[in-house]
Amino acid sequence: MQKNNEQKSEFPSVSPKSKRQLGSAGIILAALLTTNNASADAILHAFNWTYDDVAGKASEIAALGYKKVLVSPAYKSAGNEWWARYQPQDLRVIHSPLGDTTDFKQMIAALQSQGVETYADIVFNHMANESYQRSDLNYPGAAVLSTYAADSAYYNGIKLFGDLSENQYAAGDFHPPGCITNWGDPGHVQYWRLCGGNGDTGLPDLDSNNWVVSQQQAYLRALKTLGVKGFRVDAAKHMSSYHINQVFSADIRSGVHVFGEIITSGGAGDGSYDNFLAPYLRDTEHGAYDFPLFASLRRALGFGGSMNQLVDPGAYGQALAGSRAITFSITHDIPTNDGFRYQIMDPTDEYLANAYIMGRDGGSPLIYSDHNESNDGGRWQDLYKRSDIQGMLKFHNATQGRSMQVMSNNDCILLFQREEVGIVGINKCGSGQDVWVNTANHNLWWHANYRDTIGNADVQNISSTWHKFYLPARQARMWLKE
C-alpha cells in the first residue's frame, strides 16, 4: 500500500517524511490448524519488477517451485518512484514505467507456458494526487487525454475497455476532501483521504457510486480475460465492505483468488484487528494478509518471547484460518513506510519466520523480492532465489496437503511434523538443544533418510523408538523424507 506522493504512515505521530506459556501435554500433541489447505501455493511478490523482467524469468520462477506471481499495479500511472504505481490515473489502459498492455499480456503468456499464474495488485480506494498540477478531479485529465489523442492508434491498441476520448471519473465520483485524522474510526478511515501532512491535500478518495463500481468491475473483467488468476486488494482497510462487495461480484470472484491488505498490529483484542480486519473477514469471502500471525511471530521470535506462542496461535485469535491467510515475514509496506519500519525483524528472526510459514500447514506464503527500494542494503533483493528460500519452497511444495502435528515445544524450540513426509525444527535461542521424540507416537519412517532442504548437510535416519533431533542455536531445519 502507498497512499501519497510521499511515504505515508498509518501512525500519525510518525512523520511520513522522516527516514526512518502456553505448553501442556495436550497442546504439544495438538495440530496447529484444523484446516488442511492443499492448494496453499507459495506466491512470489515480484515487487516493482517490470513485466518484461517477470516474463524473462518465467522459466526460472517455475523451476524454483513458485506457482503464482503477484505483480505491481497494472494501469496508467506516471513517475519512476515505486509508490507512483499506487497512484492510478486511468484504469482503461496499462501504461507505466513497468510496461504497457502488450507487455502485460506477454508476461501472462510466458508465465502460463511454465504453469505459473499471474496475480494483479488492485488499487480501488483512490486516484493519483495531482493537486500540485491541477485543481479539478477529472481523471485521467486533459493532459493525458491529449496524449491519447496525439497517438490514438497506439493507445486504442492497448486499451482494456472504455472510450479514451473522455475522462473516466469526475468530481462527483469522489468523497468530499478532507484528511483522515481518527485512525481508529472505520468511518473516518474509509471515507476520508490519505494525506502526507505539511498541507498535502491527499489522495482523492473514490465513492462507491454505480459508475465507479461499473468501471472497477470492467477493469477486473478485462484483467480476467487476459488471464489474471488472483487479485490483491490494496488498501482494503480504507474501503467499506459495501464498496468491496459491490465490485467483487460472484462472476468476478469465480475462479480467482482474492485477498485484501488490511494492516493490523495484532489479532483478536487489538483495536486495528477488531475494527477493520475482523469485519472484512466477516463481510466478505476474501482472504487477507495474516497480520495477526505476523505479530505472533514477532513476539515469539523476539527478545523475551516464547516459541510456545506459535503452537496454535489461531486458537487464540492470533492467526487467521489457513484457508484465508496470506502468510509472510515481510511485505513491501514494512520497509518502505516510516510508520511500519518498527516491524522489520532481525534478519535471523526473519529467516526462522520463513521456515515457520513455509513449513506449517495453513496459509499461502508470500515471498517478497524487490530491487532495494527501501535502501536497506539489498536485504530483500533477489530474495526469491536465495538458497535457504529455495530449500524452504521445496519443503513447502513436497508437504502440500499434509496435516501437521506438534512434536515438542518450549520457550526456545518448536518441532513439528507434516505427517510422515517432513519434520520442521526451529530454535530461536542462543544455544543448541537436543529434542528426544518417541517416533512410534508420530508414525515416522525408520531406516529412511530425512534430509534438511535448507542447505545444511543434516540427515536424520531413524533406527529406534526414541530418536534425538539436534537443533543448533538460532537455526531451523526442514527435514524431508527421501
Side-chain angles (χ1 to χ4, degrees):
M1 176 176 60
Q2 175 59 38
K3 302 302 166 216
N4 209 344
N5 56 343
E6 295 286 346
Q7 283 103 335
K8 73 96 190 173
S9 167
E10 293 206 359
F11 299 87
S13 62
V14 180
S15 169
K17 294 187 178 181
S18 67
K19 283 293 176 189
R20 318 284 176 229
Q21 299 251 340
L22 300 175
S24 70
I27 290 179
I28 288 174
L29 296 177
L32 181 66
L33 288 173
T34 58
T35 301
N36 192 6
N37 191 359
S39 59
D41 294 317
I43 306 166
L44 165 59
H45 187 184
F47 177 68
N48 206 35
W49 295 23
T50 67
Y51 307 135
D52 283 347
D53 193 20
V54 176
K57 290 181 167 64
S59 60
E60 177 194 36
I61 289 168
L64 289 170
Y66 294 99
K67 306 296 176 61
K68 331 278 187 186
V69 177
L70 170 64
V71 297
S72 293
Y75 41 57
K76 175 111 180 93
S77 61
N80 292 321
E81 302 87 350
W82 71 265
W83 47 258
R85 303 290 72 76
Y86 291 83
Q87 299 206 22
Q89 296 174 298
D90 194 342
L91 300 181
R92 299 171 299 182
V93 297
I94 299 174
H95 187 271
S96 79
L98 300 183
D100 64 11
T101 306
T102 302
D103 299 318
F104 194 75
K105 289 179 180 177
Q106 291 173 347
M107 176 195 68
I108 292 174
L111 290 171
Q112 283 178 336
S113 73
Q114 301 294 324
V116 179
E117 296 179 344
T118 300
Y119 282 19
D121 201 348
I122 304 302
V123 182
F124 283 171
N125 175 67
H126 58 264
M127 298 298 282
N129 181 356
E130 298 186 342
S131 60
Y132 65 96
Q133 62 183 10
R134 59 194 181 97
S135 59
D136 64 82
L137 288 177
N138 298 318
Y139 284 87
V144 174
L145 291 182
S146 295
T147 301
Y148 292 166
D151 197 355
S152 60
Y154 167 70
Y155 282 101
N156 280 300
I158 63 169
K159 181 179 69 174
L160 297 174
F161 67 96
D163 183 351
L164 298 186
S165 69
E166 300 177 348
N167 280 308
Q168 184 176 28
Y169 296 131
D173 297 317
F174 296 88
H175 293 138
C179 299
I180 299 169
T181 56
N182 185 350
W183 292 87
D185 178 4
H188 226 250
V189 168
Q190 293 170 0
Y191 292 95
W192 296 97
R193 293 183 180 185
L194 286 147
C195 302
N198 298 321
D200 173 48
T201 58
L203 294 157
D205 199 73
L206 282 162
D207 184 49
S208 56
N209 65 40
N210 290 341
W211 175 253
V212 169
V213 168
S214 71
Q215 293 296 288
Q216 293 178 340
Q217 288 183 324
Y219 174 70
L220 294 176
R221 291 188 176 108
L223 293 188
K224 281 190 68 175
T225 299
L226 295 183
V228 171
K229 295 296 185 181
F231 298 123
R232 172 195 181 271
V233 186
D234 179 74
K237 181 177 185 176
H238 298 277
M239 299 172 65
S240 68
S241 294
Y242 172 81
H243 187 174
I244 291 170
N245 285 327
Q246 286 295 107
V247 171
F248 286 92
S249 56
D251 69 298
I252 289 174
R253 293 197 316 273
S254 177
V256 298
H257 185 186
V258 183
F259 57 94
E261 178 226 25
I262 299 180
I263 298 174
T264 72
S265 301
D270 176 84
S272 56
Y273 174 88
D274 295 340
N275 290 333
F276 297 99
L277 183 50
Y280 177 83
L281 294 170
R282 181 192 66 226
D283 297 339
T284 76
E285 298 178 3
H286 305 178
Y289 277 73
D290 199 343
F291 274 94
L293 179 62
F294 177 60
S296 297
L297 283 163
R298 290 178 55 243
R299 285 193 299 269
L301 294 169
F303 182 78
S306 170
M307 293 298 287
N308 292 320
Q309 296 173 284
L310 299 180
V311 169
D312 191 3
Y316 303 91
Q318 303 309 307
L320 303 186
S323 60
R324 302 183 74 177
I326 304 296
T327 57
F328 60 90
S329 66
I330 189 74
T331 74
H332 81 264
D333 276 309
I334 293 168
T336 56
N337 284 281
D338 296 322
F340 302 135
R341 285 187 61 86
Y342 76 95
Q343 295 185 333
I344 297 174
M345 292 186 187
D346 168 87
T348 301
D349 288 349
E350 185 175 288
Y351 153 76
L352 298 177
N354 284 329
Y356 179 79
I357 66 171
M358 298 287 273
R360 72 197 286 262
D361 176 34
S364 299
L366 183 120
I367 302 300
Y368 168 74
S369 196
D370 65 12
H371 301 99
N372 195 34
E373 281 81 358
S374 63
N375 297 312
D376 280 289
R379 177 168 165 180
W380 300 283
Q381 188 163 353
D382 290 334
L383 177 67
Y384 77 103
K385 61 180 179 181
R386 201 172 70 188
S387 61
D388 61 314
I389 295 294
Q390 289 188 44
M392 293 175 187
L393 186 54
K394 178 181 178 180
F395 183 96
H396 174 80
N397 290 340
T399 58
Q400 280 272 35
R402 301 285 185 163
S403 63
M404 173 179 171
Q405 187 178 44
V406 174
M407 302 162 73
S408 184
N409 61 288
N410 59 37
D411 286 339
C412 288
I413 67 98
L414 180 65
L415 184 75
F416 60 87
Q417 68 181 104
R418 300 296 301 278
E419 298 181 9
E420 81 285 356
V421 175
I423 304 162
V424 177
I426 302 171
N427 181 2
K428 64 162 281 185
C429 291
S431 59
Q433 287 210 15
D434 293 330
V435 184
W436 287 92
V437 171
N438 185 334
T439 61
N441 291 340
H442 298 283
N443 298 314
L444 298 176
W445 283 38
W446 285 22
H447 309 299
N449 285 340
Y450 285 82
R451 188 178 301 273
D452 180 30
T453 63
I454 303 180
N456 303 289
D458 190 334
V459 179
Q460 301 291 315
N461 191 290
I462 300 168
S463 58
S464 61
T465 300
W466 285 93
H467 182 80
K468 181 181 72 174
F469 292 93
Y470 176 69
L471 299 180
R474 303 286 287 155
Q475 282 291 325
R477 294 288 185 266
M478 302 180 80
W479 293 288
L480 193 62
K481 184 172 69 67
E482 293 185 327

